[in-house]
Amino acid sequence: MPNTFGHLFRITTWGESHGKGVGVVVDGCPSKIPLTESDIQKELDRRRPGQSKITTQRKEKDIAEILSGTFNGMTLGTPILILVRNEDARPEAYAEMEYIYRPSHADYTYQVKYGIRNWQGGGRASARETVGRVAGGAVGGKLLEVLYPSLEVIAWVSEVHGVKSFCDPNKITKDKIESNILRWPDSENFDNALKEVEKAQKEGDTVGGVIDCVVRGMPPGLGEPVFDKLEADLAKAMLSLPASKGFEIGSGFQAARMRGSEHNDPFYMEGKRVRTYTNWSGGVQGGISNGENLFFRVAFKPVATLAKEQKTVTVDGEEVHLRARGRHDPCVLPRAVPIVEAMTKLVLADHALRQKVLDCRP
């Protein structure tokens, strides 16, 4: 199973949803980067379950323990192992899943591929795996703070079940995003979006939506021109997330309805810096960042676990009905915001180190 992401800055996540713990090994982080458990904890607190009435009520403190790779608050340049122990696992809630495949989950596909699966909460296929991604992203974020002090990564929920938010990606602040349980950027449609989540929750159903992300203070030159284009690595990062179903950068699919004369981003000079009047490219041209704001969107499906009865089959091929138990989010979006940010930081940290190698050329 490919559990490793990145080239020079690499993470390997490990653990299952209802095992003893989950975590990450970060390899390739340079030495002498300031890093403490509190740096990781503040990001895990944004991802953890039970943080509001519209998230799963699984009670996990998600306390980060750094077991290796740091000394006196600084990275050593050696592998960094971060452990988060599972404290509120309830595998008994999934007893039926040993014999029944949950619709739109990875139960059947894992069984077909490996011939065995951990049916307790989905095992590796559970969103609990993203604890390691967020912890690794926190390390990547500390590296980016050293390399590019003005760089900031901000994601937010831009759409819930067709209800859209309105904000300026160039001006939105993290304080605004964190001021409400939806991580919603404006006041105009907040109540309508929240009602969609609460209605689905009351009816034993779920809803999906879209997360937008902007990276401000981007340096030009990050990314590779062929297979490892910056947007290609971002797409892989985002589409590897649980429940993600779509990715677009800049104009995205809207570009298909535009002419070249509309879509091109004309250049101009701002002092000695090359700028663009528009940003349909989303900050990336030819697979390489141009220094404008990086902007992309990720679509998430509704959570597959429903309290409503659904048709399914057993491992023996018997057709049955299933009403899922357990504790699950009616909408994954609020807790997915810090995960999108974490994966963005991992991609940028990796490409930043690649660029540093090139910068050593004569």
Side-chain angles (χ1 to χ4, degrees), residues 144-164:
L144 291 171
E145 286 179 14
V146 172
L147 297 178
Y148 310 114
S150 62
L151 186 146
E152 56 180 344
V153 179
I154 302 178
W156 64 94
V157 178
S158 64
E159 184 174 336
V160 171
H161 200 224
V163 179
K164 298 182 179 181

Side-chain angles (χ1 to χ4, degrees), residues 100-122:
I100 299 177
Y101 297 133
R102 294 170 297 173
S104 288
H105 280 272
D107 299 344
Y108 170 68
T109 50
Y110 260 61
Q111 189 70 39
V112 170
K113 184 171 181 66
Y114 299 105
I116 187 173
R117 63 188 170 91
N118 183 335
W119 44 264
Q120 298 175 340

Side-chain angles (χ1 to χ4, degrees), residues 21-58:
V22 291
V24 66
V25 177
V26 180
D27 202 3
C29 182
S31 61
K32 301 179 73 174
I33 302 297
L35 180 68
T36 65
E37 289 170 340
S38 63
D39 295 319
I40 299 165
Q41 195 60 52
K42 66 181 181 181
E43 295 302 324
L44 289 178
D45 287 345
R46 298 173 64 218
R47 194 223 72 96
R48 69 175 177 80
Q51 59 185 274
S52 77
K53 63 181 181 180
I54 58 170
T55 63
T56 171
Q57 293 308 297
R58 179 172 173 171

